Amino acid sequence: MDIKQLTYFVTIAEEGTITHAANKLHMAQPPLSTQLKLLEDELGIKLIERGARKIKLTDAGKILYKRAKHILEITTSTTKEIEEFRKGIQGTLRLGTISSSGTVLLSKRLIEFNKKYPNIKFEIHEGNTYELIEKINSGIIEVGIVRTPFNSQNFECLFLETEPMVAVMSCDYKFESQQKEILLEELKKVPLIIYRRFEKILLTEFQDLGLEPNIFCINDDARTTILWARAGLGIGIVPKSAINFDFMDNIKYKEINKDTLRTQISAIWIKERYLSMAAKKFLEFFK
């Protein structure tokens, strides 16, 4: 049993038919069938059942598929690591980010990272947390910068410190409280602009207080929430790190004193999946 045979077997399992697998491997069907039979003979057990339309893995085939995938991933990652070591640290980091992470990324972390590794380029994919998780799973990006809450079961995670949600508004907005911190119930009557990511969480918190919030606008981007609030259309509710005063003037905010409304930014990547040297070095700086 060698790497080539495992590649053939994994391709057959994933393509569902030997014909499709042969096409993907750019080889004729008879030699591929022969390689599969040789593998079964060597192991002394049947690995697939041929159906009318698609093949079906036997129990032994399922075990081999899982192990073969892992072996092939290790082989690929080892080859890439040796190649990166030979070339030096360079390449392109495929990074996914949520819209509210700009302040965190465009901080000393990224600036110092660029100074130390000037040959590493970036390919940025933006989206919400759930969209980025899909892109990580499909291999479009290596690392995602996302925000809690999310299902972290299949991921390695690096969490930053927790932060509060804030009520952001135009500097001209006449808000009753002059305090830097406010309670959620102080927002019960004002027109609220909220990021859809936190809609259910916020509505649940208001319901627990026995209050019906005045939702003026629901949108899909924290930046939109801030811009509408800046225009004086209402009060936006966003994570504190979503506000970047270097790019936005005429806004002010008040922290919402509610422990259950605190959130965290996290860098995530698939457990046991190969990470490029560029990604590994980036994560060192993200800490």
Side-chain angles (χ1 to χ4, degrees):
M1 182 168 55
D2 56 28
I3 295 297
K4 184 176 288 187
Q5 284 181 312
L6 292 179
T7 301
Y8 290 162
F9 175 71
V10 167
T11 306
I12 292 170
E14 292 179 343
E15 291 299 308
T17 70
I18 293 179
T19 301
H20 290 164
N23 289 336
K24 186 169 183 179
L25 292 165
H26 305 293
M27 63 187 296
Q29 182 178 335
L32 184 57
S33 296
T34 300
Q35 287 296 324
L36 175 61
K37 187 176 185 311
L38 289 173
L39 182 59
E40 288 180 324
D41 289 346
E42 180 181 346
L43 295 174
I45 196 167
K46 201 167 187 177
L47 299 173
I48 69 167
E49 298 283 355
R50 286 177 170 81
R53 294 186 177 180
K54 296 185 71 175
I55 63 99
K56 182 179 179 181
L57 293 178
T58 63
D59 289 342
K62 291 175 183 177
I63 293 172
L64 180 61
Y65 173 73
K66 183 178 179 180
R67 299 300 184 194
K69 283 282 288 184
H70 187 55
I71 291 169
L72 292 176
E73 285 175 359
I74 291 175
T75 302
T76 300
S77 65
T78 302
T79 302
K80 287 183 177 179
E81 280 196 62
I82 295 299
E83 184 179 354
E84 286 178 342
F85 179 79
R86 179 175 59 83
K87 291 181 178 179
I89 299 175
Q90 56 182 304
T92 299
L93 173 57
R94 293 173 289 110
L95 183 69
T97 69
I98 53 173
S99 62
S100 60
S101 69
T103 304
V104 172
L105 281 181
L106 297 175
S107 63
K108 288 184 178 180
R109 287 183 180 90
L110 192 55
I111 294 169
E112 293 300 321
F113 177 82
N114 180 245
K115 286 180 181 178
K116 187 167 184 178
Y117 304 109
N119 292 324
I120 294 178
K121 312 299 182 186
F122 285 86
E123 181 182 308
I124 302 296
H125 295 257
E126 294 183 289
N128 61 42
T129 293
Y130 303 117
E131 290 170 339
L132 295 180
I133 285 175
E134 287 182 8
K135 289 185 178 182
I136 293 176
N137 286 329
S138 62
I140 295 173
I141 58 177
E142 279 192 277
V143 177
I145 308 301
V146 299
R147 186 180 292 279
T148 59
F150 62 89
N151 186 348
S152 62
Q153 182 177 358
N154 297 322
F155 298 102
E156 298 286 355
C157 306
L158 277 179
F159 291 99
L160 296 186
E161 61 276 4
T162 61
E163 60 178 289
M165 301 289 280
V166 299
V168 60
M169 63 200 81
S170 163
C171 287
D172 300 324
Y173 197 92
K174 305 299 181 184
F175 191 73
E176 292 181 6
S177 175
Q178 300 304 310
Q179 304 299 316
K180 291 183 178 180
E181 284 191 351
I182 60 172
L183 299 175
L184 189 63
E185 41 264 60
E186 294 180 67
L187 300 173
K188 62 183 178 181
K189 295 181 180 179
V190 300
L192 295 178
I193 305 160
I194 63 174
Y195 177 25
R196 198 182 309 275
R197 172 84 166 85
F198 298 105
E199 178 184 2
K200 290 183 180 179
I201 298 172
L202 288 168
L203 291 179
T204 298
E205 293 294 339
F206 275 109
Q207 288 171 2
D208 289 345
L209 293 170
L211 301 173
E212 183 71 30
N214 176 15
I215 305 297
F216 171 66
C217 172
I218 300 175
N219 62 77
D220 291 312
D221 197 312
R223 293 167 296 191
T224 301
T225 299
I226 295 171
L227 289 172
W228 279 50
R230 181 184 177 218
L233 296 171
I235 291 180
I237 299 180
V238 295
K240 187 176 180 180
S241 63
I243 301 174
N244 191 332
F245 287 101
D246 292 334
F247 296 98
M248 294 180 180
D249 57 0
N250 194 39
I251 56 173
K252 61 184 179 181
Y253 71 87
K254 297 180 181 296
E255 292 187 8
I256 300 172
N257 188 354
K258 186 77 171 173
D259 288 342
T260 49
L261 284 182
R262 297 186 72 85
T263 182
Q264 287 176 283
I265 283 179
S266 175
I268 64 172
W269 63 99
I270 296 287
K271 289 180 179 178
E272 298 182 355
R273 179 182 287 180
Y274 168 77
L275 275 181
S276 67
M277 188 61 69
K280 291 177 181 177
K281 294 302 179 183
F282 173 80
L283 291 169
E284 289 177 9
F285 272 78
F286 188 82
K287 297 177 184 178

